[in-house]
Each structure stands twice: as C-alpha cells, then as structure tokens.
Amino acid sequence: MSKARTWIVVVLSALMLTASAQTAQIDWRQSEGSTLVVGGIKHAYTAALEKLIPQFEELTGIDVHLEVYSQDEFMNKRLIDLSSGSGIFDIVMLDQAIVQYARAGWVDALEPYFEDPTLVDADAYGMDDYLPAMIGEGRVDGNLYGLPVTAAVQMLFYRKDVLADAGIAVPTTFDELYAAAVELNQPGKMAGILLRGQKIHSAWSSVGFVWSYGGRIMNDPVAPTAATFDSPEAAAGIAMYAKLLRDAGPLGAGNYTWYEALADFQQGKAAMYIDNAPFMGQIEDPKASTVAGKVGYAPMPAGPAGEYANSLAWMLSMSSSSKNKDAATLFLAWATGAQMALEIGQAAGTSARESFYASDWVGEHYPADWAETFVLSTKRANPESGFPRIVEIDEWLDIYGGAVNATILGTGTAQKNLSEAAAAMNRVLR
Amino acid sequence: MTNARTTSRRRPLDLGSLVGTVTLLIFMVAFFLPIAWAVLMSLKTQVDALSMPPKWWFVPTLENYLTVWQDGRFATYARNSVVIAVSATGIGMILGVPAAYALARFRVRGQKAILLGILSTRMMPPVAFVIPFFILFTRLSLRDTPQAVIIMHVSFILGFVIWMMRSYFRDVPRELEEAARVDGCNDYQAFWRVVLPIATPGLATSAIFAFIFSWNEFLYAMVLTTMKAKTLPLGIYNWIAYEEIMWGELTAAAVIAMIPVVIFYFFIQRAFVRGLTMGAVKG
Amino acid sequence: MIESRIGSPLAGSTARNGRDRSTRRRSLPFVFLTPAFLVLLAVNAAPIVYAVVTSLQDYYLPFPAKRAFVGVENYANIFGDPRFWNSFKHTLIYVGVCITIQVVLGCFIAVLLSQQKRGVGFIRGVLLLPIIITPIAVAFLWRLMFSPSLGLLNYLLSLLGLGPFEWIYSPSQALPALILVDVWQRTPEMVLILFTGLLAIPDELVEAGKVDGANPWQLFWSIKLPVLKPFLMVGLLFRVIDLAKVFDVIYILTGGGPGVATETLSIYTYTTGFTFLRMGYSSALGLLLFALIVSLALLIIRWGEVKID
C-alpha cells in the first residue's frame, strides 16, 4: 500500500473508533433538546435499556425518561394514555395488543419514518437481521407498527437428572411427552409436566399445540374474519394439552399462570415444563432456582402435522399522539438497530435479531442446547400469527382461553368447548 | 380493678377469663401469622423464600431492604404517600367532624337526603368511575399531582368520618353541652371545649381508619398518577417483574410501608387512651 | 317528626343576655355542614353524569368515531347476559358470607378483648396489622400461601394430616378462599369499631346485670348489644358497601377465575371496560353495581333501624 493509502486507512479507522460505534450516516443531534418518555414493563429488557440510555442521551442531546411499570399496571396506563390522545408516552412497549392499537390509530406505521434517510440509515439499521417470526408480529395489515426487542418461543425444559434416572429419552412427539409425563408424575412431590392452565395464559400456550395437530385459530393470517379453532384438528391439540395437565400436571393446574409454573419448576416440583424460552435465565439463576445446571432444553415436541412452537415478541411502537416523532424515531433506530443489538442483548439476555444468537457471547453464556434449539424454533415460519390479527384480541384471550381452561378443568370435551367458543367469538367479531 | 365481686365468685370467673385470654391469643396468632410470614420472606433470598417445606432456619439477609431503600423512586413514593395521607386525613377530619356534629345534634332540613348523599360517594364503585375521574382531572390539569389523589381520598374519607362520628356524638350526653351553655358558651365553644374532648376515642378511631384508607388506596392512585405523584402501594408493584415476582423486595417494601402507619397509630393511641380516662361520659 | 328531647336546642333556653335562643337561627349547622357537602358535590357530580351518559351509548374504544346513542340497549343486553347474572350471584354470596362471619367473629373477639385486663393496647396493635399492610401486598402474599405446591397453608394443614387443597386454583374452592382472605384482613376493623363502642357502655349497667345473675351470654345479648347496635349498624353498613366494591384483591388473587368462578360484578365491570374496551356496556354495569350497593345500604338502614333523621 502506498503511504497515502496507509494514512487514509489509519485516519478512517481512528475516526470509526472514536465515533462511539455509530456509523449511521445521519445527524444524531438533529432533535437536540427535546424530551422523550418511553413507557414499558418491568423486564430484563427495560432494565438493560435503562443502563444504556445515557449513551443515547450523550449522542443526541435528547432527554429520555424511561417509565417502567408492572404489566397489569402498564396495560391500563398505556390504554388510557394512547386512547385519550394525552401524549404522555412517546414510545410504548406493545404485545399482542398491537393489532388493536394499530387499527384504532393509536400507534403510527413506522415506514414513513424509517424510510426517511435523514432519520434512519437503513444499512446501519439492518432490518433483515430480524428473526422472521418476530418481525412478523409487528406487521398489521401490511404495515410495520412495532419493532421487536425481545424474542420468545415455546421450548421444552426438562430435568436431565430426573429423565436419566428413569431411563427416559427426551420426548420428540406429544405421545412420547405424554407417556414420559405420566411415568414421571409423583402426585404431591413432583409433577410430570407443567403448562399454563389459567384462562388467559393458556391461550398463547395452547396455540402451538393446535398448529402441531394441523389446526388453525383463524381463517386468515392477515385479516381474519372468522374463528376456525373448532376444527377436529384443533380439538385434538387441545385435548392433548388438557390430558397432559389432568393426568400428569400439578394440583391446581387449572389456574396456573407462568408465575406458578415457573416457581414450581425452579423449586424442583416438576420434571418437565413447556413455556417461554427466555425463562432459561430464571431457571439457571442459582439465587432463584434450586435446579440450575440440571435442566436440558429441547424443541417443543411434534404433533401429527409437524413441529410448531408459538412465538411471542415485545415491541417498541410510537404513539400517534407523540409530539416528538422525529426524536422518537432516532431513539427507536438506536435502541433496536443492529449496532446496539449485541450490547443491549447481552444486558437483557434476549434479542429479536439473528446476529445476537450467532454471537460468541451467547455461545459462552447460554447452555448450548438452548441456543441451538432457540434458533431452530424461531427460524421455522409460523403458519399464522402467534396472536390472531384482530382488534378484539382480549376477547379472544377470554373466549378461546376460556374454552381451553374449561377443558383442562374437565367441564366438557375439547370439541364441545371449542365449538361453543368459536360461535361466541364469531358473534364478537365486528 | 376493684369491684364488688364476692370471693365465692372468684374461681369460676378466673377460669372464664383464662379461656377468654387463650381464645384471644389463638386469634392473635391467626391474624399475625401471615404478617410474620411476610417479614420472614423479606429477610430471605428468592430461592429460600419459595422453598417448600419452608425454611425456618436460614441465613437472613438485609439485601432486600437495601434494594428497596436504594431504589431512587422509593423516596418519592414515600413522600407522596405521607403528604397525601396526612392531607387527606386532616382535611377529611376538619370538614367531616363538624359536619357530623351538625347532623347529630341539630334538626337539619333534608337530613336524610344529606346523609344518604354523603354515603353515596362512598358507594360509587371505583371500577365504574375511574375513567370519568381521569378525564375530569385531566381537564383540570391536575393529572399526576398529589392534589388530585388527595381530593379523591377526601371524598371517600368524608363519608366514613361523618357517619362514624355522628354515632359517637349522639352518645355524648346533652347535659354536658347544656352545662356549657349555661356557663355562657355559644354553640361553637360548646362543641370545641366540651364535646370534642369527650369524643376523642371516636376521633382517634376515625382518624386512624381514614389514614390507613388513604395510605393503602390503590385504584385511583394508579389511574390518576404517572410519574411524579405515585404512592407506596404502586411502588409495591415495581417488584412484579415480567418473569418473576421478587418476593424479598416485595415483602420488604410492604413492611417498610407499614412503619409510618404504625407510628401514626401510636400517636393516636395516646389520644385514644386519654379520651377514655376522661371519664366524664360515665359520670 | 316532633320529638321533645330534653335539652333539645329548641327547648326554650335563654342566653345570659336574655335573648331567646330558639328564635334565633343557629348558624352552626350551616357553617359546619356546608363545606363538606360542597366538596362532595363538586368532586362527584361531573363523573356521575359522564358515567350515566356513557352507559347510554355504544362506545367501542378503538373506534371512537362510531360512538352512538343507543338509549337503554346496554341495560337490556345486560339483563340477558348470563355472565352478568353469574357475577351478580357471586357478589351477593361474597358480601353475604363475609359480612356474617365478620360481624359474628368481630363481636366475639371484641367482647373477649373488652374483658381482657392486660395487654389490651398490644392486642389492638396486633389486630391492626392486617388492616395496615397494603392490600396489594396482602393479595400477593395470600396467592403464594394458597399455592398447592409452594404454599404455607397446605404445608401447615399437612402437619395436621389434612389433605392438600387447591384453594384459589379450584373453581369450587376459590370463592371460599377469597372469603377467607377478606375475613382475615377485615375482621379486625369490625373488632375495633365494636370495641370502641363497648367502651361506651356504662359500668353500672353491666354490674347491675351481673348482680341480677346474668351469665356472660345474657349480659352480651340483653345489655351490651342494644347499646352497641348503632355502632354495629354503621360498621356493618360500611363493610357491606366496601365488600360489594372489592376489586384489587380479587383481581390479583384469581382475576375472576378459574374460568369465571370468582368473577364479581366489580371484576366483570372492569373486564368489559378495560379489557374488552366496550365502554358503554361497562359504564352500564358499573352503574348497576352502584345501584346494587345503594339498595343494600338502604336495606341495612331500614332493617338495622339506623337513625338518620
């Protein structure tokens, strides 16, 4: 290399190193002096964000207030604020309610902001890096309303020691799972399997079962108009879900939320547990769990129609009544962009970007079987959205979840409960 | 306590009072046990807190208390709670006690309607009115201020204070006020100098319940505040995270939240006892 | 209603300066009553009107443009809604059983306490603890204590050889479990109100009864209870009102579940409004709950002969 070239390389490298790793070709200080309020739930993600926000404030000169609440509280506050147009929150964390908020016009579609080259550098941002299942959760009616910041997928947690002692191989199908759960079930001491049973919580949890048996929740993945969860395939899936809990689940499973299930598993009261992959963090934490180091991670078992695990993502969205939308865009681009992904992901223990799970850090910090299973499960496309794309999402949780719950409690067969629920759901759909 | 008991009655009475005391103690244990459990949990780590069979012997830790105390927002919540509870109780008593007296002693036109009207504010279920109140306070630009919460609390407290104190005032013998008037007092002086001191046990009871109500009120405090005016009960919710309930911190926060009320109770307690020993009621 | 009470303000007493008091309008009632009344009116008037207006509309929160007046349609739908009747039933059972237990137990403990000679202040302090501790924390605590696998209750019962219960995790046991929690938290309130009332009973009355040979039960029933009655009725009145309104504790413990096994009218009102976003319907439900509470209150006032005039 000529001397000049060498110099250029050296200078450019120096510049890159000192530019605080933000290579996006935009003016980060364009909204200097404004204030942003970000509303979220108490979560490892927001804890991570809180620590890293000063970096953003220094970079942009924008003052950011992160307000964190418990989930129930936040859902009320978010609803009241965004629906009344008060504009207290500029950015909010959204879950399955995104469909409702998008169609009601309470959050803005992000394309106009993200396609503006003065606000977001598309190359630096890296939209393609997102796990397909996760970014799909943010799309409503063809537009992108939310950027995923966490990623969860159903996974099978099992006690390596318990299965080994009983000489049982890790189940790969639901029938194997059932057999193993029944054999390992010791009522009063250790349940064979844990699943969420409570009305609202069992909804998301059981959808993976429905898919695995060939059923579908709604008649259309993008703009559904009718419920289809009363099909014989769906009923078979729910029947298996209920059977597992009735024959090998803990006492009181009919009202178990993840609070109870996770706590039971952490205290060694169950042999197997199917739930959110990120719970691995709590399971492996010796300060909270007595079974740290004894747990194996496998994909959710397969049904007759294949292996389908449900996925879930929390997203960041922009309130349509925000008075600082440019500043909000800068924040969104920074917080969810590829450049901060690794740092935030490490602090939060979760990310919606593929690059995070391929990183060395994950390899060093997470059980190998977990990381492998996670990527495998999230790369598989979901046959429809994890939560139906309807505005009446909460009624779906109540009606469909109610049918699953009733089946678990033994009131009626799966088919009967689901048929009644589907009829009720169709009456509700406007 | 000397009395005219005959010696022949002594034995059966003692047995009776022993049984009474023991029964009382059993109830005390039943009421106290969950509190004791909460205190124990506040001194345990998460993994110990949930262990079953319960760990009676464990290494206690003050870490939870430290975490709660050092949470920057805790001081704000505590301060808000104190301001709100003291103000609401104070205003509630100042407005309510005289009103109760007026309704107890004087023939007021439309009395029945007034009393029922006052009660009706207490009867309004928060779930139904939370949103209208949210809108009201937003229009008044009072959202997320302690004033909004104080106003709501006063509204509830007034009903209770007025009804409760009315009962107590009706029990005060009129002779006392008559005597005062003969001495030249007007209505207000009679109230202030004679009736109020006698009614101290009732005042104390009303005040303590009013304070506790405001201190622990959750629903309106949650809806009407966002950041600046949050109170302690909302702070408890901070320890409900997405993936777990942080029992140590939650119970530590609950225990800390109890302390100011206990202190308030001890102050009131003295007034209570003082009122009892006044004895004028029993002549 | 004319009542000639000795010492009635209208009985012609005269002040020192000779002016007949009974002809002068007493300012005290007006001065003392008006501030409280005004505050209550000012605070509550607008929201009540808003709630009533909303209850007459079809208002689905995500689509405010479609908000429309529908008269009493919401109310008509409510009466045909089985979930409403279910929640109505649960509210009545919850209120009825809780208040019965709390009154009986409250009286019992208050009497025991009044006969205690020593440690009364201490016991009253202990009794206050369940009331003082934040209800939210109480709810989470009991939720843990109710856990079939990790809870204290099943553990203690197992020491006595009693089988594991499902408590709030079973549709049949959930409502009794909720009642247990409220009894635990609120009986002390009754005890304290009644205890204060018992203190007002003149000693001579009790002594006279004892001299007549009355046993403790008769003493209580014939002598103490009548004097206690006004306090009891007011305490009961407020407890019933609060019981019908209960929301946060039930919400945290069961959320109205399993299924809808513990869904009270309060919870259902919340669900239709905040979860299903059907604001008109929710307002109507809330106003019906309000009407229920008013009815219960009037009933107690009538039956308990609570003197309000």
Side-chain angles (χ1 to χ4, degrees):
Chain A
M1 254 199 276
S2 72
K3 237 188 175 183
R5 268 232 202 116
T6 322
W7 260 117
I8 293 172
V9 171
V10 168
V11 167
L12 276 176
S13 314
L15 277 175
M16 274 172 52
L17 282 172
T18 55
S20 64
Q22 283 296 346
T23 59
Q25 305 297 312
I26 59 157
D27 173 16
W28 284 104
R29 298 207 78 90
Q30 57 185 283
S31 294
E32 193 168 350
S34 35
T35 311
L36 282 179
V37 178
V38 179
I41 58 165
K42 193 168 171 77
H43 191 281
Y45 173 73
T46 42
L49 205 60
E50 198 163 355
K51 283 192 224 121
L52 296 169
I53 275 178
Q55 268 186 44
F56 176 78
E57 288 177 319
E58 213 184 292
L59 175 68
T60 60
I62 299 174
D63 196 19
V64 179
H65 295 278
L66 177 63
E67 289 300 319
V68 163
Y69 307 86
S70 75
Q71 189 171 0
D72 282 326
E73 209 185 336
F74 182 59
M75 279 166 44
N76 285 332
K77 291 212 111 42
R78 182 183 69 191
L79 177 71
I80 293 178
D81 180 53
L82 268 62
S83 66
S84 64
S86 306
I88 304 178
F89 295 126
D90 296 291
I91 293 174
V92 289
M93 273 176 83
L94 267 179
D95 42 19
Q96 69 275 3
I98 193 166
V99 183
Q100 195 182 77
Y101 280 65
R103 291 207 184 130
W106 297 335
V107 290
D108 277 349
L110 295 171
E111 281 89 347
Y113 303 93
F114 273 70
E115 283 160 14
D116 179 346
T118 64
L119 288 174
V120 179
D121 180 340
D123 291 330
Y125 184 73
M127 193 63 91
D128 299 327
D129 186 26
Y130 279 116
L131 294 164
M134 306 305 155
I135 192 78
E137 290 293 317
R139 286 213 180 86
V140 182
D141 298 330
N143 288 328
L144 186 65
Y145 285 88
L147 298 160
V149 291
T150 71
V153 71
Q154 282 180 297
M155 204 183 266
L156 172 64
F157 311 130
Y158 62 94
R159 289 280 300 277
K160 292 190 284 205
D161 49 344
V162 173
L163 262 67
D165 284 343
I168 299 181
V170 181
T172 54
T173 68
F174 282 114
D175 292 326
E176 282 170 27
L177 181 70
Y178 180 75
V182 168
E183 194 176 325
L184 293 169
N185 188 34
Q186 300 168 50
K189 285 211 290 190
M190 179 179 279
I193 181 132
L194 288 169
L195 286 167
R196 303 186 192 185
Q198 194 257 16
K199 180 172 69 170
I200 307 289
H201 290 246
S202 63
W204 175 82
S205 220
S206 61
V207 167
F209 281 63
V210 168
W211 292 342
S212 302
Y213 277 78
R216 294 285 178 272
I217 300 294
M218 292 281 162
N219 63 349
D220 185 84
V222 174
T225 53
T228 53
F229 51 75
D230 53 346
S231 65
E233 295 84 7
I238 300 303
M240 169 55 77
Y241 194 91
K243 205 166 61 146
L244 280 166
L245 280 180
R246 289 168 64 73
D247 296 342
L251 188 64
N255 217 22
Y256 262 46
T257 67
W258 59 254
Y259 285 146
E260 286 84 4
L262 182 58
D264 268 12
F265 196 70
Q266 283 175 314
Q267 294 290 331
K269 302 281 180 187
M272 297 186 286
Y273 177 30
I274 295 183
D275 211 318
N276 251 335
F279 284 164
M280 177 269 299
Q282 274 69 39
I283 292 172
E284 297 293 335
D285 177 6
K287 281 198 281 199
S289 166
T290 60
V291 301
K294 301 188 199 159
V295 177
Y297 302 92
M300 183 152 113
E307 238 179 76
Y308 289 101
N310 201 355
S311 51
L312 178 84
W314 278 96
M315 293 163 280
L316 287 181
S317 297
M318 179 155 60
S319 164
S320 50
S321 40
S322 162
K323 301 180 184 64
N324 306 291
K325 294 192 181 172
D326 283 353
T329 309
L330 290 179
F331 182 80
L332 285 173
W334 173 85
T336 64
Q339 309 217 272
M340 289 303 294
L342 194 57
E343 214 173 328
I344 294 184
Q346 285 174 19
T350 180
S351 171
R353 288 173 170 274
E354 202 171 328
S355 55
F356 174 72
Y357 296 97
S359 71
D360 293 330
W361 186 88
V362 166
E364 284 159 33
H365 286 81
Y366 291 170
D369 53 352
W370 184 89
E372 245 173 70
T373 308
F374 187 87
V375 178
L376 196 68
S377 307
T378 48
K379 276 194 125 121
R380 209 180 297 123
N382 287 343
E384 53 180 347
S385 198
F387 288 98
R389 303 267 108 178
I390 51 176
V391 179
E392 299 86 352
I393 183 71
D394 294 295
E395 271 127 320
W396 174 78
L397 286 170
D398 190 80
I399 294 174
Y400 166 74
V404 176
N405 180 250
T407 315
I408 295 172
L409 292 172
T411 350
T413 63
Q415 183 66 71
K416 171 174 167 295
N417 291 328
L418 287 168
S419 298
E420 280 169 14
M425 191 72 224
N426 288 330
R427 280 196 296 272
V428 163
L429 287 173
R430 294 183 170 224
Chain B
M1 210 183 285
T2 60
N3 50 43
R5 279 192 202 142
T6 64
T7 46
S8 66
R9 284 225 192 99
R10 196 174 283 275
R11 207 175 298 267
L13 275 173
D14 272 355
L15 184 63
S17 72
L18 184 67
V19 169
T21 311
V22 169
T23 316
L24 209 51
L25 279 175
I26 294 177
F27 277 118
M28 292 310 110
V29 168
F31 282 116
F32 188 64
L33 191 63
I35 310 272
W37 186 244
V39 174
L40 280 180
M41 278 215 287
S42 70
L43 298 168
K44 289 181 182 175
T45 60
Q46 179 80 347
V47 67
D48 282 346
L50 293 174
S51 68
M52 189 49 60
K55 272 192 174 174
W56 302 111
W57 298 114
F58 59 95
V59 180
T61 169
L62 287 177
E63 203 180 299
N64 299 322
Y65 283 96
L66 273 172
T67 313
V68 171
W69 193 255
Q70 284 168 352
D71 182 324
R73 292 164 294 190
F74 190 76
T76 312
Y77 300 154
R79 193 195 51 215
N80 286 334
S81 274
V82 171
V83 166
I84 290 173
V86 170
S87 308
T89 305
I91 298 175
M93 295 292 283
I94 292 174
L95 289 179
V97 172
Y101 180 69
L103 287 166
R105 280 290 188 250
F106 294 82
R107 182 121 292 155
V108 178
R109 231 173 349 161
Q111 182 155 319
K112 192 168 176 172
I114 292 178
L115 275 170
L116 283 175
I118 291 172
L119 192 61
S120 69
T121 63
R122 178 94 175 201
M123 295 194 277
M124 285 163 62
V127 260
F129 291 98
V130 140
I131 293 200
F133 274 110
F134 174 80
I135 296 176
L136 173 71
F137 285 111
T138 309
R139 296 259 168 87
L140 294 174
S141 302
L142 281 177
R143 201 188 36 216
D144 201 20
T145 60
Q147 293 92 294
V149 185
I150 293 174
I151 292 173
M152 283 314 302
H153 287 185
V154 167
S155 179
F156 279 104
I157 288 173
L158 271 179
F160 179 77
V161 168
I162 290 177
W163 275 74
M164 190 54 59
M165 287 313 300
R166 192 173 153 266
S167 292
Y168 289 119
F169 283 139
R170 285 167 70 101
D171 264 7
V172 174
R174 287 175 182 276
E175 292 85 52
L176 293 166
E177 282 143 284
E178 281 312 303
R181 275 195 217 103
V182 163
D183 281 349
C185 288
N186 60 32
D187 293 333
Y188 300 92
Q189 289 164 328
F191 171 68
W192 182 254
R193 297 217 197 115
V194 176
V195 180
L196 268 189
I198 300 295
T200 330
L203 289 175
T205 311
S206 298
I208 192 75
F209 280 130
F211 189 82
I212 292 175
F213 166 82
S214 174
W215 189 258
N216 286 336
E217 200 275 328
F218 180 76
L219 215 58
Y220 280 112
M222 179 184 83
V223 173
L224 295 176
T225 66
T226 34
M227 299 176 256
K228 287 174 277 179
K230 280 174 82 157
T231 56
L232 277 176
L234 304 176
I236 306 265
Y237 246 111
N238 279 348
W239 309 109
I240 317 293
Y242 187 62
E243 280 119 15
E244 59 177 347
I245 302 179
M246 299 161 80
W247 290 106
E249 286 86 342
L250 191 147
T251 45
V255 169
I256 297 179
M258 283 170 70
I259 295 176
V261 189
V262 173
I263 295 177
F264 187 79
Y265 170 69
F266 274 118
F267 274 117
I268 295 293
Q269 168 82 319
R270 277 141 106 238
F272 194 99
V273 171
R274 212 177 344 115
L276 288 181
T277 57
M278 278 216 134
V281 186
K282 306 191 184 177
Chain C
M1 210 176 308
I2 311 290
E3 232 185 274
S4 64
R5 289 183 269 185
I6 300 176
S8 151
L10 293 177
S13 57
T14 53
R16 269 212 202 132
N17 60 13
R19 204 172 352 137
D20 185 350
R21 287 231 165 142
S22 57
T23 58
R24 179 172 66 83
R25 261 191 59 181
R26 315 282 282 264
S27 65
L28 185 140
F30 184 73
V31 170
F32 273 13
L33 204 46
T34 314
F37 192 72
L38 280 181
V39 166
L40 288 175
L41 193 66
V43 171
N44 292 293
I48 292 181
V49 169
Y50 181 88
V52 171
V53 168
T54 309
S55 77
L56 300 172
Q57 294 173 329
D58 176 18
Y59 179 19
Y60 186 51
L61 196 62
F63 302 125
K66 294 205 200 140
R67 189 170 179 170
F69 179 77
V70 289
V72 294
E73 189 179 309
N74 286 327
Y75 291 96
N77 288 338
I78 288 176
F79 288 116
D81 180 359
R83 197 163 166 177
F84 163 71
W85 290 111
N86 184 52
S87 66
F88 185 73
K89 181 182 79 174
H90 289 146
T91 306
L92 288 181
I93 295 176
Y94 183 75
V95 173
V97 177
C98 278
I99 195 65
T100 309
I101 298 179
Q102 285 169 12
V103 166
V104 171
L105 204 57
C107 277
F108 187 59
I109 298 179
V111 169
L112 282 179
L113 190 59
S114 67
Q115 290 178 336
Q116 243 337 75
K117 297 186 197 27
R118 283 171 302 181
V120 172
F122 172 72
I123 292 178
R124 285 217 333 273
V126 169
L127 276 179
L128 225 84
L129 291 175
I131 313 177
I132 292 180
I133 186 169
T134 316
I136 302 295
V138 166
F140 280 108
L141 194 68
W142 275 92
R143 187 161 154 184
L144 183 62
M145 293 203 300
F146 279 138
S147 164
S149 49
L150 297 175
L152 190 63
L153 288 181
N154 272 356
Y155 172 73
L156 290 174
L157 288 173
S158 72
L159 294 178
L160 297 172
L162 294 169
F165 290 100
E166 286 179 72
W167 306 105
I168 53 175
Y169 295 90
S170 141
S172 52
Q173 296 176 18
L175 200 54
L178 288 179
I179 290 173
L180 176 65
V181 175
D182 196 82
V183 165
W184 175 82
Q185 189 168 30
R186 294 287 167 202
T187 304
E189 201 172 305
M190 274 309 250
V191 172
L192 289 169
I193 293 177
L194 292 172
F195 179 69
T196 317
L198 279 174
L199 290 175
I201 298 177
D203 276 338
E204 307 87 58
L205 228 56
V206 179
E207 287 307 316
K210 282 196 193 139
V211 164
D212 283 347
N215 62 41
W217 178 247
Q218 288 168 320
L219 268 178
F220 177 73
W221 197 253
S222 331
I223 295 178
K224 294 185 184 169
L225 196 53
V227 181
L228 208 50
K229 195 163 167 200
F231 295 98
L232 181 59
M233 282 306 148
V234 175
L236 192 134
L237 183 62
F238 276 86
R239 273 278 64 225
V240 166
I241 291 175
D242 284 346
L243 276 170
K245 290 190 309 184
V246 168
F247 174 75
D248 20 18
V249 173
I250 299 184
Y251 183 73
I252 291 174
L253 276 171
T254 62
V260 286
T262 56
E263 193 169 69
T264 57
L265 198 41
S266 238
I267 302 269
Y268 189 39
T269 306
Y270 173 85
T271 306
T272 44
F274 283 82
T275 314
F276 298 164
L277 310 182
R278 301 190 186 278
M279 313 311 289
Y281 199 71
S282 180
S283 265
L285 281 169
L287 287 173
L288 279 177
L289 176 58
F290 187 27
L292 172 67
I293 298 176
V294 171
S295 313
L296 287 174
L298 288 175
L299 246 142
I300 292 174
I301 292 175
R302 161 75 48 94
W303 169 72
E305 291 156 23
V306 179
K307 300 215 175 356
I308 57 174
D309 49 23

